[in-house]
Amino acid sequence: MTTSTPADDNHTLSTAFDSLSQRPAAAGDWLWIVGPGAIGRLLAATLAHARLREMATQGRSTLPNLLLVGRRASVSEMVTIDMTSPEGQAVSSEITYTSIDQLRTLPYPPPAAIWLATKSHAIESAWAHVAPLIDSRTPVTCWQNGLSAQPWLAEQHPQLLCASTTEGAWIPESTALATHTLPERLAVQHAGHGQTWLGTWSSQADPASSSSAMAAAERQVAWLQAAGRECDLSADIGTRLWHKLAVNAAINPLVARFRIRNGQLRDRPFSLMVRQAVDEITRVLEAEGIAPPPNGWQALVDQVIRATANNRASMLQDVLAGRTTEVEAILGPLRHAALRHGLSLTDDLPLLEQLHTQLSSQQP
Ligand code: KPL
């Protein structure tokens, strides 16, 4: 698998801009992707590449113009995303970029949609910048792990969509950001092809708002499909999010605590701990009324461990880099659900509770 993308090998693409000084084409919808982490870069590069391909072959595109929004200021208004596919192919795409602080000063039309791809604990601060710039009809899609950002955002904004994906991506360390070249370069390794589900958050009371959220979800699924990704509409995204949370809760805290790769969970003593974690998770999800996967929770978790054996899971990467982890977004909803259903954290979830305490105490 290729982990770097030598500039000469790259097939450099440009978006609606021909030069750094030009303003974006006025026509067409804009999608803001907030959070240039691994998944944000993967989504931006995927759509930008597909949009340019459509432009080249059909002279127009069904895909939106893209604005990537990050915390850091960039020297230029474009960045290049160097994406390496799981097969080792490198593709580079130029994408309009702004820092979140500059967002309100930019002369761009209001976005047709917003994808929030930050870590779950960064959602409130991202939202504080974005909310004043949009109206209540703008569809906003949460791409966060866990289940803490989504219910919080549903309280703030009526047009809420959620995505759950098994696409794997990470940021190659050596190419985190190269500021000496223009445009600045952001690398992403697409580690493995997966499946994405997109759906509307269920708590929309008003039918008109709910049907326009559904239309937005259908449109966004079509964007990803047009870009060649496996993506489907989910009528029950809440259950999909719980399933992903269950897998993350069985794997991430253990590998982060013991600083091991996912595949080492198949060996003792960790295999016994995975079993116990799955038992505890099952207890909570049964109480919450979440339907199990067809072959049961243990089989699902084993299958993901096998498929990602060589991975350093996201929570381990965060621990190793001294960053805040998503422990609260992943274990928090299980703990709250347990308490809601009268379970005891110490008696019914002893392992998860211990992991929660240990990992929470290590947060920077
Ligand atoms: O999604 C993951 C993560 O790293 O957060 C898993 C499934 C644990 C794979 O590494």
Side-chain angles (χ1 to χ4, degrees):
M1 187 183 281
T2 312
T3 53
S4 65
T5 56
D8 320 7
D9 296 346
N10 290 345
H11 170 203
T12 300
L13 302 168
S14 59
T15 53
F17 293 74
D18 290 333
S19 81
L20 295 180
S21 59
Q22 275 185 301
R23 287 282 164 224
D29 287 337
W30 281 81
L31 167 65
W32 294 359
I33 300 181
V34 181
I39 202 74
R41 292 179 193 193
L42 180 70
L43 293 168
T46 299
L47 291 184
H49 184 56
R51 179 177 155 83
L52 209 69
R53 200 179 45 220
E54 284 191 356
M55 290 295 228
T57 55
Q58 302 160 25
R60 61 195 164 79
S61 176
T62 53
L63 295 164
N65 295 294
L66 296 171
L67 176 67
L68 186 61
V69 184
R71 258 178 317 166
R72 291 188 37 152
S74 163
V75 182
S76 65
E77 63 177 22
M78 304 294 285
V79 292
T80 300
I81 300 190
D82 297 315
M83 172 173 69
T84 308
S85 75
E87 296 76 29
Q89 235 186 339
V91 172
S92 297
S93 309
E94 284 188 16
I95 292 175
T96 318
Y97 177 91
T98 185
S99 79
I100 198 151
D101 292 331
Q102 295 295 315
L103 202 47
R104 75 195 140 73
T105 66
L106 296 177
Y108 302 129
I114 297 180
W115 285 359
L116 295 176
T118 63
K119 292 275 190 185
S120 61
H121 41 264
I123 204 84
E124 291 191 31
S125 94
W127 185 247
H129 285 91
V130 167
L133 307 178
I134 60 169
D135 70 30
S136 61
R137 291 162 303 177
T138 309
V140 174
T141 305
C142 271
W143 285 84
Q144 282 65 35
N145 274 332
L147 254 168
S148 63
Q150 302 85 344
W152 180 82
L153 203 58
E155 300 277 308
Q156 326 294 319
H157 189 69
Q159 287 289 294
L160 187 65
L161 315 181
C162 295
S164 177
T165 187
T166 60
E167 297 279 3
W170 46 274
I171 296 177
E173 258 165 53
S174 56
T175 51
L177 186 66
T179 46
H180 52 283
T181 54
L182 277 179
E184 293 179 40
R185 308 193 82 92
L186 305 173
V188 62
Q189 173 68 50
H190 186 194
H193 297 285
Q195 168 79 33
T196 300
W197 287 274
L198 221 141
T200 60
W201 186 257
S202 57
S203 58
Q204 275 140 0
D206 150 34
S209 153
S210 141
S211 87
S212 70
M214 183 53 87
E218 281 168 9
R219 188 162 182 232
Q220 297 184 15
V221 166
W223 288 343
L224 287 164
Q225 288 174 345
R229 294 285 179 247
E230 291 279 330
C231 181
D232 285 306
L233 201 59
S234 171
D236 184 6
I237 196 70
T239 298
R240 294 269 172 213
L241 291 167
W242 271 116
H243 279 222
K244 184 162 188 214
L245 180 146
V247 170
N248 284 142
I251 299 176
N252 269 312
L254 281 173
V255 294
R257 163 78 180 85
F258 295 105
R259 304 190 176 209
I260 54 176
R261 286 185 190 259
N262 294 0
Q264 290 173 269
L265 291 175
R266 292 175 292 189
D267 307 329
R268 281 182 183 235
F270 308 118
S271 57
L272 302 176
M273 297 181 196
V274 174
R275 258 176 203 287
Q276 183 176 344
V278 170
D279 286 347
E280 296 180 9
I281 293 163
T282 305
R283 207 165 286 150
V284 180
L285 296 185
E286 259 172 27
E288 184 73 8
I290 304 299
N295 298 322
W297 294 110
Q298 186 68 53
L300 176 63
V301 169
D302 289 344
Q303 181 219 316
V304 175
I305 291 174
R306 227 177 10 255
T308 62
N310 211 22
N311 274 25
R312 278 208 185 97
S314 54
M315 199 179 285
L316 173 58
Q317 289 181 40
D318 288 338
V319 165
L320 295 176
R323 293 189 292 256
T324 303
T325 69
E326 293 192 303
V327 65
E328 216 39 68
I330 291 170
L331 293 183
L334 284 170
R335 299 173 75 244
H336 295 137
L339 293 173
R340 254 196 329 272
H341 297 294
L343 297 172
S344 148
L345 297 181
T346 44
D347 296 341
D348 295 306
L349 311 184
L351 176 59
L352 295 183
E353 195 52 13
Q354 200 184 39
L355 289 166
H356 179 260
T357 307
Q358 282 160 341
L359 291 163
S360 303
S361 72
Q362 284 172 22
Q363 298 281 43

